[in-house]
Amino acid sequence: MPRSKSRRGVVSRPAGKRPAQTGRKKTPAKKTPAAVAPVVAGKKGLNVLFVGSECATYAKSGGLGDVVAALPKALRRMGHDARIVIPLYRTIDRQRHGIVFDRSACVHMGGGEEQWVGVYSAKLDGEVPVWFVDCERFFGRGGIYDEPSGEYPDNAFRFALLSKAALQVCKDTGFVPDVMHAHDWPTALVPVFLKTWDRILSPLSNSASVLTIHNIGYQGKYHASAFPYIGVGYEHFTPNKFEDFGGINLLKAGVAFADMLTTVSPTHRSEILTPDGGMGLAPYLNARSGDLVGILNGADYEHWNPETDSYIAARYSAGDLGGKAKCKAELQRRLGLAVDPKIPLFGIVSRFAHQKGFGLLMEALPRALNSMVMQVAVLGMGDQGTEHFFHWLTAANPGRVGSYIGFSVELSHVIEAGSDFFLMPSLYEPCGLNQMYSMKYGTLPIVRAVGGLEDSVRNYNEWDGSGTGFKFQQPSGAALYDTMGWAVSTWFDRPQHIQRLRASAMAENFSWEKAAREYLAVYEKAIANRKAG
Ligand code: ADP
Ligand code: GLC
């Protein structure tokens, strides 16, 4: 299981020239307006502030960015005032996204440090207000968490500042959240600050917090020397809060302080309560199991839908799959594969991380390519060994394996639409969004039955052709190889079952609306816990 502290991130545009901005600003903050009224007349909607290190279309390294963008939109459509705070990374294109300067803010960190930041704003998808925290010292860089040479050494400082800035933005703008919703280790300090920061004087003294654990493999473990900058008292440097083998663990602190905890699928909720799945945090999560809820992510069908997708060669629907054949031919052309509709094509779009089961793929793919009629299309980046493996596999199998090592939202849609099968042999998978996107595109997922993959994919039943994909249990290359063989034999021997599986997969509906309703119940509990505590 990976223990790395961060994950590699990419922003929406390559690094460009950036006008001088922020750092320490002397501009006084604007006058605080009256608290924002609830959005639904007569019926109080909740004010919810999402604080994230990623948000799709602006900056994303994986599914966390998709969730931070989609869930607030679903909540707003249900009458709640959901907003978002993220960093203004240098590579976010302000002009393209209509991001404008709003105000300056002074963020108070430990040791009496006052960090002036710029606060910018825009509307995501024309609907969701987003505040961007601009701080050249911490966010004026090319990556989200790291760059090719490694993780940024000051990540604890960078994301502590973001978390504290989110509270300051609320205070300065008068937006008083009923709930602040934090995501993974980068913003796990939001619940901590809410409970330790001027509780009596703060306008946020009644705001509750929810921490969603998207990926427990990344906990934000740092040297204890970062603790003073966070600026909470040493009474919190204890093994049940911050302290972790002499260092600090930001996710662990969030688990201790948040009013409610969630993770991104019901099955993964059970997994993280076990010693293996909890990756060191199981005792602390078990102590709070009554406040821990598993909610399956949704898929944003406004961005992921073959009927409307502007990235793909032809649009198509379950009723008319003609366009899918064109998308397959286009993908084959793009990645240098033989253009042939009859050859089953397996897609991969992934962070190259141990979690995703690349060990299994390295064992199974060369064997499968030796013995099966098939093609592979790969998009991903990350672990260097995995990048080298795919360079080699591509060179060794001309016309049969095509790969692009990098990050491309456009190509990710092209692969979802053009593939016949989609490979996700994850060792663990808290939820997984790509299998949901695949199903919508009639691309059958081949998954290991863990976490959200177990909860979202129904296994193929050879008897009647029911199901939405192919599942296996064992974390072994042999199990993956056999399951790929099962898919290939179904493709050639039972094409009517492929059609039925496709129809069932495309009919699945992982709407965010359902998930949003479950989050609302969690928010109510968090508010009750906050009142009680
Ligand atoms: P995780 O969050 O663990 O990476 P998910 O399946 O939840 O896994 O989400 C992955 C998201 O990241 C999807 O939107 C997927 O398309 C996207 N993604 C992953 N790698 C790349 C890449 N190299 N280029 C473009 N998009 C990518
Ligand atoms: C994480 C998980 C993934 C999940 C995503 C969004 O990075 O690895 O399974 O879908 O977050 O919640």
Side-chain angles (χ1 to χ4, degrees):
M1 297 275 181
R3 287 292 177 161
S4 57
K5 297 163 193 162
S6 76
R7 38 201 233 171
R8 189 129 139 218
V10 176
V11 293
S12 58
R13 280 271 166 110
K17 219 170 165 245
R18 164 194 159 86
Q21 198 46 260
T22 66
R24 282 178 81 87
K25 272 200 190 298
K26 293 291 173 202
T27 328
K30 278 188 193 163
K31 224 178 136 226
T32 304
V36 174
V39 280
V40 181
K43 181 175 175 289
K44 187 183 179 318
L46 293 179
N47 287 350
V48 185
L49 187 67
F50 282 67
V51 190
S53 50
E54 303 182 24
C55 177
T57 92
Y58 302 122
K60 146 176 165 180
S61 77
L64 169 66
D66 290 3
V67 175
V68 170
L71 178 55
K73 193 164 65 177
L75 288 166
R76 285 192 82 81
R77 289 181 182 177
M78 295 164 84
H80 302 277
D81 191 350
R83 305 183 185 195
I84 301 169
V85 171
I86 61 165
L88 187 58
Y89 298 109
R90 182 210 288 160
T91 38
I92 296 179
D93 187 331
R94 291 186 212 170
Q95 248 184 340
R96 175 178 157 221
H97 294 296
I99 298 171
V100 293
F101 180 75
D102 183 67
R103 64 186 61 231
S104 301
C106 180
V107 186
H108 301 265
M109 302 305 297
E113 178 164 330
E114 293 182 353
Q115 174 72 54
W116 281 90
V117 299
V119 179
Y120 285 69
S121 63
K123 275 215 168 152
L124 175 65
D125 289 344
E127 287 181 62
V128 189
V130 182
W131 281 301
F132 299 84
V133 175
D134 187 19
C135 177
E136 180 65 29
R137 170 184 167 199
F138 287 146
F139 304 127
R141 310 176 186 186
I144 297 178
Y145 312 105
D146 55 10
E147 53 197 19
S149 58
E151 186 193 355
Y152 294 130
D154 55 353
N155 273 346
F157 297 78
R158 298 170 74 226
F159 291 105
L161 176 87
L162 172 71
S163 303
K164 194 71 179 284
L167 275 76
Q168 191 66 46
V169 167
C170 294
K171 200 169 175 177
D172 291 353
T173 59
F175 180 75
V176 179
D178 296 293
V179 176
M180 291 188 81
H181 192 160
H183 299 269
D184 273 351
W185 70 265
T187 55
L189 290 176
V190 166
V192 177
F193 289 139
L194 268 178
K195 287 200 173 138
T196 53
W197 182 51
D198 296 345
R199 178 146 187 208
I200 308 300
L201 299 175
S202 163
L204 309 183
S205 51
N206 294 318
S207 299
S209 62
V210 172
L211 171 64
T212 294
I213 300 175
H214 295 263
N215 200 325
I216 204 159
Y218 305 87
Q219 297 183 6
K221 295 183 186 183
Y222 296 102
H223 195 267
S225 55
F227 191 68
Y229 183 77
I230 294 169
V232 301
Y234 269 94
E235 68 274 21
H236 301 302
F237 190 75
T238 54
N240 61 339
K241 294 182 187 168
F242 273 92
E243 195 272 337
D244 193 333
F245 292 96
I248 55 170
N249 181 326
L250 303 185
L251 190 64
K252 190 191 208 186
V255 166
F257 280 88
D259 294 304
M260 280 296 286
L261 302 166
T262 70
T263 189
V264 288
S265 69
T267 294
H268 193 58
R269 178 193 178 277
S270 331
E271 291 168 350
I272 59 177
L273 291 172
T274 66
D276 255 13
M279 300 192 204
L281 295 188
Y284 310 101
L285 289 166
N286 274 287
R288 299 217 48 201
S289 61
D291 294 331
L292 172 64
V293 180
I295 302 177
L296 192 70
N297 283 332
D300 186 341
Y301 293 130
E302 273 163 37
H303 290 281
W304 296 94
N305 184 345
E307 293 181 43
T308 53
D309 195 326
S310 55
Y311 289 121
I312 62 181
R315 275 153 282 294
Y316 61 91
S317 64
D320 178 5
L321 284 168
K324 187 162 175 68
K326 289 193 185 128
C327 291
K328 179 170 175 178
E330 171 62 15
L331 173 59
Q332 288 172 323
R333 258 192 301 274
R334 282 275 293 266
L335 291 188
L337 303 169
V339 178
D340 185 339
K342 295 187 294 301
I343 302 178
L345 172 48
F346 291 76
I348 297 173
V349 177
S350 182
R351 288 184 294 116
F352 286 173
H354 182 67
Q355 163 200 354
K356 301 293 181 180
F358 283 103
L360 277 55
L361 283 163
M362 286 181 193
E363 209 182 309
L365 279 178
R367 258 184 88 194
L369 282 157
N370 262 336
S371 59
M372 299 177 203
V373 175
M374 60 178 284
Q375 293 178 338
V376 187
V378 185
L379 166 64
M381 61 182 277
D383 170 66
Q384 275 204 346
T386 309
E387 293 186 355
H388 291 155
F389 169 76
F390 281 112
H391 280 308
W392 166 77
L393 197 71
T394 307
N397 294 277
R400 298 186 68 207
V401 178
S403 57
Y404 178 79
I405 307 302
F407 195 92
S408 164
V409 171
E410 189 229 350
L411 188 57
S412 71
H413 286 247
V414 170
I415 292 180
E416 290 287 6
S419 304
D420 299 304
F421 301 104
F422 195 91
L423 289 167
M424 291 183 78
S426 304
L427 299 183
Y428 76 97
E429 195 61 71
C431 178
L433 295 172
N434 275 321
Q435 81 281 9
M436 296 182 185
Y437 302 153
S438 299
M439 286 187 248
K440 191 69 184 170
Y441 286 76
T443 299
L444 302 175
I446 295 178
V447 303
R448 185 158 171 259
V450 286
L453 300 174
E454 167 67 359
D455 293 345
S456 58
V457 178
R458 287 185 286 120
N459 201 12
Y460 168 45
N461 179 342
E462 228 177 278
W463 180 252
D464 60 5
S466 62
T468 56
F470 297 81
K471 284 162 105 165
F472 63 98
Q473 304 284 336
Q474 290 302 315
S476 71
L480 172 59
Y481 172 84
D482 289 346
T483 313
M484 290 176 68
W486 190 26
V488 170
S489 67
T490 307
W491 174 266
F492 286 111
D493 302 338
R494 295 175 297 283
Q496 73 285 6
H497 280 185
I498 295 286
Q499 275 174 22
R500 177 150 185 220
L501 286 163
R502 268 196 176 145
S504 309
M506 292 178 88
E508 290 286 347
N509 183 6
F510 299 101
S511 82
W512 267 114
E513 207 185 310
K514 177 175 177 290
R517 274 196 294 274
E518 294 179 52
Y519 274 105
L520 284 169
V522 168
Y523 294 159
E524 295 298 350
K525 279 193 196 155
I527 292 166
N529 283 354
R530 176 65 154 157
K531 276 200 184 115

